[in-house]
Amino acid sequence: MKKSLLVAISILLLSACTTTRLSDEAMGTLIEDFIASEQIENRHSVSAFTLDSYGELSDEYVIFRSAPMRHYLIKLAPRCSELSFSMGLVLHRRFGNTLSEGLDYVYVPDSLPFKCFINKIYPLTKAQHDALRNNIKAEITELKLKEEHASDSETPEPAAE
């Protein structure tokens, strides 16, 4: 009895330490639905672009932040599976400080130089950026609740002694 209780507690503690993350497919669907609902139009290039930071959303989507606080949702092709394991990202641009779809690409410096080309560039307003972040957080919270509910239903009830 004590052994099974210790095993159950250990499993719960380990599952509490894991971070819940949307699958790449779920994230892609969420982002594509957001783009459609907000009617965000693709821009083929952005001039006077300076990469300040980036955030990886999935193997296919990243957000670039450019000074002064401009956000761009970037769709990559092909998918870059190395992004989620990397500590950094290198942006290669063909023309100075212009970001262009189809010509410019990113790669992860600590892996083979596999090029992930910029397929689409969606400029985001601050409100759109915040709304997208909130949508992602809401989906993750919902996923956590589903996982907790599933683990609660899988946990056997203790036998009466």
Side-chain angles (χ1 to χ4, degrees):
M1 177 68 181
K2 287 182 181 180
K3 187 175 183 178
S4 61
L5 183 61
L6 286 173
V7 169
I9 290 172
S10 298
I11 290 172
L12 286 174
L13 288 174
L14 287 174
S15 66
C17 294
T18 61
T19 58
T20 302
R21 179 184 159 115
L22 294 175
S23 69
D24 285 333
E25 291 78 23
M27 182 66 80
T29 301
L30 178 93
I31 292 170
E32 289 164 11
D33 290 346
F34 180 79
I35 291 168
S37 70
E38 292 287 318
Q39 299 176 344
I40 304 171
E41 295 205 15
N42 177 35
R43 291 200 28 206
H44 300 291
S45 66
V46 177
S47 56
F49 179 85
T50 304
L51 181 61
D52 187 31
S53 62
Y54 77 96
E56 177 255 337
L57 300 176
S58 70
D59 289 353
E60 191 175 21
Y61 287 99
V62 290
I63 289 186
F64 285 171
R65 189 177 88 181
S66 176
M69 291 300 290
R70 292 186 194 132
H71 293 92
Y72 298 93
L73 179 62
I74 306 296
K75 183 174 184 179
L76 302 172
R79 293 174 180 251
C80 287
S81 57
E82 298 88 15
L83 282 178
S84 56
F85 305 108
S86 175
M87 298 289 286
L89 178 77
V90 176
L91 172 62
H92 180 270
R93 292 181 287 194
R94 299 235 188 236
F95 303 110
N97 64 351
T98 300
L99 185 66
S100 302
E101 68 180 25
L103 298 174
D104 298 336
Y105 58 89
V106 298
Y107 66 93
V108 176
D110 50 340
S111 71
L112 293 174
F114 183 70
K115 298 175 185 177
C116 301
F117 284 89
I118 294 174
N119 188 359
K120 297 193 180 197
I121 303 169
Y122 298 102
L124 300 176
T125 64
K126 179 165 177 23
Q128 289 170 330
H129 176 260
D130 293 345
L132 178 58
R133 288 184 63 205
N134 290 335
N135 287 356
I136 292 169
K137 285 179 185 177
E139 284 293 318
I140 290 172
T141 301
E142 186 177 323
L143 183 61
K144 282 182 184 178
L145 290 173
K146 286 180 183 177
E147 287 175 353
E148 288 173 7
H149 181 69
S151 69
D152 288 346
S153 64
E154 291 176 4
T155 306
E157 294 189 21
E161 291 183 20

